[in-house]
Amino acid sequence: MRQPPPPNVTLGGIAPHIPADLYHRAQATGQPVVIVAPDTPAAGFSWQRILIPFAIAGAVAAGAWGIVAALCYLLDVAAHTATVIAGAVGPIGAGGITLKLARSKS
């Protein structure tokens, strides 16, 4: 008695090859034949290809603005600190030359 040939199943235009001995053994034992076919990518444009670089660029830009703002704040604090110190110290003199670091309030 001859076994029927394997069915011609097409998945995405590709007919998978099932070896004859495997097919006949599965038919004799009643085991299912599992065909694993690769998934085809979805047709159209993948937005992930564009969104990830823009997200990275946005994060870099936000970080750069944060660093600039922090540097401006630190320079402002340093300028105020130097002004307070110069006003508290008063004039500095060495060898007859006097240097006034800050203007007097009067």
Side-chain angles (χ1 to χ4, degrees):
M1 179 170 158
R2 185 164 163 92
Q3 295 282 340
N8 188 5
V9 180
T10 60
L11 299 173
I14 301 173
H17 173 72
I18 303 171
D21 59 339
L22 179 66
Y23 177 76
H24 293 303
R25 189 175 340 128
Q27 287 292 321
T29 60
Q31 291 178 328
V33 177
V34 178
I35 300 171
V36 179
D39 188 23
T40 57
F45 186 74
S46 173
W47 284 101
Q48 188 176 9
R49 285 179 43 200
I50 289 197
L51 289 179
I52 290 176
F54 273 107
I56 293 171
V60 168
W65 278 110
I67 289 174
V68 168
L71 287 175
C72 289
Y73 178 75
L74 288 174
L75 287 174
D76 184 48
V77 169
H80 284 295
T81 303
T83 304
V84 168
I85 291 172
V89 170
I92 296 177
I97 300 173
T98 304
L99 178 62
K100 194 172 191 184
L101 296 177
R103 293 186 220 151
S104 62
K105 295 185 179 185
S106 58

